[in-house]
Amino acid sequence: MTRGLLMLPHYNAKSHLIRIGLSSSSKNSPKFHTFSSISRKSIHVRLLCGCSSNLQDESTELSKYKETFSRRMAMAGVKPHHHIAVGVSGGPDSMALCLLAAEWKTHGLNAALRQNKDVIDGLLAIIVDHGLRPESKQEAETVQHRILNMRIRCEIAHCKWTDGRPKLSHLQEAARDMRYEKLQNICIQHQIGVLLIAHHADDQAELFILRLSRNSGVLGLAGMALATQLFGRHQSLDDGISDSILLVRPLLDFSKQDLYKICEEGKQQWVEDPTNQNTIFARNRIRMSLGNLSSCIFKSELQAVISACRMTRVYVDQICCSLMNQSVTVMPEGYAIIDLSILNPSKVLDICLSKFLTLLLQFISQRQRPVRGSAQKLLLDYIRMFPCKSSFTAAGCYLCPSPSSKGTKLLICCSVNSTLPMKMMKSFYAAASSSEEVKVSSELTQIIENGRLYLNKMVFLNTSDMHFLNTKSSESVLSEAKRVKILSESTHSSICSLQKNEHEKFKLKTDNGSCKVVELVNNVKQLHQGQIGHFMDRFLVSWEFVSGGCCGCVFGQYSVMEVCHMVDDDWLYLSKLSKSENLCSDFVKVSAREALMVLKSIPVAARRSLPVLVNPEGQILSIPNIGFNICPCLKVSAKFNPRVPLGGGYSSFL
């Protein structure tokens, strides 16, 4: 949703968007265009930036904006020849982003590509029409026309709310989730690896206050990353195209006022969304409150404490990456082993150890909810006991001493009682490997590598510059910021007041009927021959019958199987088959015996998350990870391939 210049005394859900543009003939006399359905008497306009009459000063300022944008793109690892998309709402933020991206692209491309006068090569704007207001389609088409006038290709993605319109209290969250899903799908369809989003410094400040009121720690207060690797809910395997994209926010150094100036200088119109004035939404309340604290000192000090949190986040992320590389071994059966003697958890700071464990547990379980509160403290106490002699369950994972390690190594495996369902994918995803697909995959890999190189050059691991490593709460972050003189007394007092006010509203909301979300789990899924299933977001499973394996196979009649996880009875069944004299063929006996031998090398706790293929009658046909097959005609594959990689994917908080 766009941010607004308008202060509306009453929210009207049926109001049309207000289209605002600055006259191209006079920089000092802005004209405000409105639809006739909105009364001018009910609108109060507050300009957030002034209009300079000195054209030379304006040109110099715009040049600085372009330099800042170019620097931020380089920090993210993105270069002008890369294929990029831009998420566009039509507001001043995204319109300024389009102007800067078009300028940066045009000047960065070689002469041959510049000769294309119709569109800028390798740049696509995406407009998401949420369809929550009758006029949204027309507004999206108007914005599309403006984007096309910039020589930027533009697509509109229309949303369909199959479960009905979201409730007002969850409207922004639902719209955001839908928006990112649409943006990511279109990027993947067009084989684009980078998506630019117009979040800016004022958005970062709003998020800081919002998370402060929820008592986030310093890592949460670091806000939005410059670059974040996104992975789809349903892993895309079509034709070998990568399912991830890199979301980049190149405007985090820009204020809202800067973006208005960029639109003004570019003679670009924009739209404003009146829903941004509805105080039922926390972000809107915070934005209005921050608008009343508009002194330069307050803004600069608030951004300074956010920057300090971000540098702390960068430091912690680098420490965690180092710990992962040194002490963690991921097994192909889907579990991990931590070498506690290498990790030496008693010497690792709480904040680094907590983040390390969170990333590891999220990877093994493929669930994104971290351990919090008292459970987090118990987990830290548990892992610091050396040697490890007990077990622990947290965040969808089971932790216990690794067999034969005498407690010097810790086993982490997925707890089957809290896993996610299997996702069905289209078949033959690896059949083709065109040059375009390879190009997109290698391009994204190169961009991420460029970003890492820039990060390594810019960041030095010096704990003396990290003021918040030992903070335990949001209050302690603010207190430490005041102690080291990042925040003045007046700014500290103002931020605490904002935190208190928003926290009370949040507490009131949660106390009055906020229901706990219950996650439905179903670990048994049907899988047709030739399909690929992503079982528990962890294993890619496929099966087929092939001719020539044996004569008179009775299992070839099945066109669909079921995939579930192993249970204790499955081990007993294998043992029975391996000893049977008359119940099965020699092939089955040998397969069962070999599978039992492999099972001995897999810890008992880790066996329970292995996928098992059964027929509709419940008979076990295959346990592919240990090599068991009921028939040589049946070819089954199960590869440990988590949707989100270890570490959560690449991100940069520079």
Side-chain angles (χ1 to χ4, degrees):
M1 293 186 180
T2 59
R3 273 53 173 159
L5 276 176
L6 306 177
M7 301 296 291
L8 303 182
H10 299 289
Y11 169 68
N12 182 359
K14 297 182 179 180
S15 296
H16 292 273
L17 281 183
I18 300 170
R19 305 181 182 275
I20 298 180
L22 293 174
S23 171
S24 59
S25 61
S26 175
K27 295 280 191 294
N28 297 318
S29 303
K31 296 181 179 180
F32 300 93
H33 306 285
T34 67
F35 286 117
S36 59
S37 60
I38 300 180
S39 171
R40 293 178 182 268
K41 293 182 181 180
S42 66
I43 299 175
H44 306 282
V45 179
R46 180 169 61 86
L47 287 178
L48 299 183
C49 63
C51 299
S52 172
S53 59
N54 191 323
L55 296 179
Q56 185 176 358
D57 290 344
E58 289 181 350
S59 179
T60 302
E61 196 167 27
L62 186 59
S63 177
K64 291 180 180 179
Y65 291 145
K66 294 177 182 178
E67 291 176 5
T68 300
F69 180 84
S70 180
R71 184 177 68 254
R72 296 296 286 182
M73 292 293 279
M75 292 170 69
V78 187
K79 298 181 180 180
H81 67 273
H82 290 142
H83 294 77
I84 63 175
V86 185
V88 181
S89 66
D93 312 348
S94 59
M95 298 306 285
L97 178 59
C98 286
L99 288 168
L100 291 171
E103 175 77 13
W104 171 77
K105 262 276 191 184
T106 301
H107 283 78
L109 295 173
N110 59 45
L113 294 177
R114 289 182 197 171
Q115 291 177 358
N116 186 346
K117 297 181 180 180
D118 295 329
V119 293
I120 299 172
D121 187 72
L123 183 61
L124 172 69
I126 306 172
I127 301 169
V128 178
D129 171 21
H130 294 98
L132 296 173
R133 292 174 292 106
E135 64 274 14
S136 65
K137 182 179 179 181
Q138 178 187 352
E139 291 158 1
E141 292 172 351
T142 300
V143 174
Q144 182 185 41
H145 179 73
R146 294 172 180 174
I147 296 296
L148 292 173
N149 286 339
M150 296 186 202
R151 297 175 50 235
I152 300 175
R153 289 186 301 126
C154 186
E155 285 193 14
I156 300 176
H158 298 283
C159 300
K160 294 182 180 179
W161 301 92
T162 55
D163 296 329
R165 179 189 174 94
K167 294 182 179 179
L168 185 60
S169 58
H170 297 93
L171 183 64
Q172 287 190 326
E173 291 83 355
R176 181 191 61 230
D177 292 343
M178 177 71 80
R179 180 164 61 251
Y180 277 106
E181 183 177 348
K182 291 288 185 181
L183 291 171
Q184 187 167 356
N185 289 341
I186 291 178
C187 285
I188 292 173
Q189 290 170 11
H190 288 276
Q191 302 172 21
I192 295 174
V194 177
L195 172 65
L196 305 186
I197 296 295
H199 291 131
H200 49 81
D202 290 19
D203 291 327
Q204 198 78 291
E206 294 167 15
L207 183 59
F208 179 86
I209 299 300
L210 181 67
R211 291 185 174 176
L212 202 66
S213 69
R214 272 59 166 173
N215 199 29
S216 290
V218 61
L219 301 184
L221 296 178
M224 294 174 283
L226 164 66
T228 305
Q229 193 173 3
L230 296 183
F231 300 87
R233 291 182 181 177
H234 308 286
Q235 188 180 39
S236 175
L237 303 173
D238 294 345
D239 301 324
I241 301 173
S242 172
D243 69 312
S244 72
I245 63 171
L246 191 68
L247 188 148
V248 178
R249 301 178 176 93
L251 303 184
L252 292 180
D253 283 347
F254 293 74
S255 69
K256 183 77 172 187
Q257 182 178 357
D258 294 331
L259 303 180
Y260 282 119
K261 289 180 180 179
I262 292 168
C263 287
E264 174 189 353
E265 184 67 19
K267 301 177 182 179
Q268 183 59 56
Q269 291 183 314
W270 63 84
V271 298
E272 298 286 354
D273 190 343
T275 60
N276 289 327
Q277 310 303 321
N278 187 1
T279 56
I280 191 175
F281 302 124
R283 273 189 173 273
N284 294 349
R285 294 194 300 268
I286 294 171
R287 186 180 311 120
M288 294 176 185
S289 297
L290 286 172
N292 297 326
L293 300 168
S294 56
S295 71
C296 292
I297 294 177
F298 175 84
K299 288 182 176 180
S300 63
E301 290 184 356
L302 179 56
Q303 291 299 328
V305 72
I306 294 174
S307 296
C309 291
R310 293 173 70 79
M311 290 310 299
T312 303
R313 174 69 186 255
V314 171
Y315 174 82
V316 171
D317 285 351
Q318 289 193 336
I319 292 295
C320 289
C321 181
S322 177
L323 294 175
M324 291 282 186
N325 292 333
Q326 295 171 11
S327 64
V328 177
T329 302
V330 179
M331 307 303 291
E333 292 80 18
Y335 63 95
I337 296 176
I338 304 176
D339 192 322
L340 297 177
S341 60
I342 296 177
L343 178 63
N344 198 3
S346 63
K347 300 295 183 181
V348 182
L349 290 171
D350 282 0
I351 189 173
C352 296
L353 189 57
S354 293
K355 181 65 175 179
F356 167 83
L357 290 171
T358 290
L359 292 173
L360 191 52
L361 295 181
Q362 288 176 335
F363 169 71
I364 294 299
S365 68
Q366 286 298 298
R367 298 174 65 185
Q368 298 307 305
R369 295 179 184 176
V371 182
R372 299 187 185 278
S374 59
Q376 184 182 68
K377 185 179 184 305
L378 290 173
L379 182 59
L380 290 178
D381 292 340
Y382 168 78
I383 199 171
R384 283 182 169 141
M385 294 178 62
F386 188 86
C388 178
K389 296 181 180 180
S390 60
S391 61
F392 192 89
T393 302
C397 291
Y398 179 76
L399 297 80
C400 65
S402 182
S404 304
S405 70
K406 297 182 179 180
T408 62
K409 294 182 179 180
L410 187 64
L411 171 72
I412 302 181
C413 60
C414 183
S415 176
V416 296
N417 293 325
S418 57
T419 50
L420 298 176
M422 179 176 69
K423 310 297 191 304
M424 288 299 180
M425 305 300 164
K426 293 183 179 179
S427 58
F428 309 118
Y429 72 95
S433 181
S434 70
S435 58
E436 287 187 350
E437 292 158 4
V438 174
K439 180 179 178 181
V440 171
S441 177
S442 62
E443 186 173 271
L444 182 57
T445 301
Q446 186 59 57
I447 291 169
I448 292 175
E449 183 61 26
N450 293 343
R452 284 200 174 103
L453 290 174
Y454 199 106
L455 181 65
N456 293 335
K457 291 178 181 178
M458 294 291 292
V459 178
F460 302 93
L461 301 182
N462 187 354
T463 55
S464 63
D465 297 330
M466 306 298 158
H467 302 294
F468 304 140
L469 287 175
N470 294 311
T471 57
K472 303 294 184 181
S473 64
S474 56
E475 288 82 0
S476 60
V477 170
L478 295 181
S479 298
E480 182 64 15
K482 185 175 72 171
R483 188 189 71 80
V484 298
K485 302 190 183 306
I486 297 176
L487 295 178
S488 64
E489 181 65 43
S490 61
T491 301
H492 178 268
S493 177
S494 297
I495 293 176
C496 287
S497 178
L498 289 173
Q499 176 193 22
K500 180 181 179 181
N501 291 338
E502 188 54 41
H503 178 71
E504 290 176 351
K505 290 183 174 65
F506 173 69
K507 189 174 183 299
L508 181 63
K509 178 181 177 181
T510 55
D511 288 344
N512 289 338
S514 178
C515 59
K516 182 179 180 180
V517 177
V518 178
E519 186 176 6
L520 298 178
V521 177
N522 180 8
N523 288 338
V524 179
K525 288 292 178 179
Q526 289 187 339
L527 185 64
H528 290 266
Q529 183 172 193
Q531 282 187 321
I532 298 173
H534 208 195
F535 184 62
M536 296 159 34
D537 276 339
R538 301 168 75 246
F539 290 96
L540 292 180
V541 183
S542 63
W543 69 275
E544 63 176 338
F545 280 107
V546 294
S547 60
C550 67
C551 299
C553 177
V554 298
F555 301 106
Q557 61 180 309
Y558 299 114
S559 61
V560 61
M561 303 291 185
E562 292 182 349
V563 185
C564 54
H565 59 77
M566 280 195 72
V567 295
D568 294 352
D569 287 346
D570 296 339
W571 313 339
L572 299 176
Y573 179 68
L574 289 177
S575 179
K576 181 180 178 181
L577 290 179
S578 67
K579 300 174 182 178
S580 173
E581 294 295 335
N582 302 316
L583 295 179
C584 57
S585 66
D586 291 340
F587 174 85
V588 176
K589 293 177 187 178
V590 173
S591 182
R593 289 168 187 166
E594 292 177 348
L596 287 171
M597 292 296 294
V598 175
L599 273 179
K600 292 180 180 179
S601 65
I602 303 174
V604 175
R607 299 175 191 174
R608 295 187 176 93
S609 63
L610 294 178
V612 176
L613 206 69
V614 302
N615 64 16
E617 288 76 36
Q619 180 184 2
I620 297 177
L621 300 186
S622 177
I623 309 177
N625 292 93
I626 59 175
F628 173 72
N629 257 5
I630 199 73
C631 174
C633 293
L634 180 61
K635 301 298 181 183
V636 184
S637 172
K639 180 182 178 182
F640 182 58
N641 187 13
R643 183 177 64 89
V644 179
L646 182 60
Y650 172 74
S651 66
S652 172
F653 279 79
L654 281 180

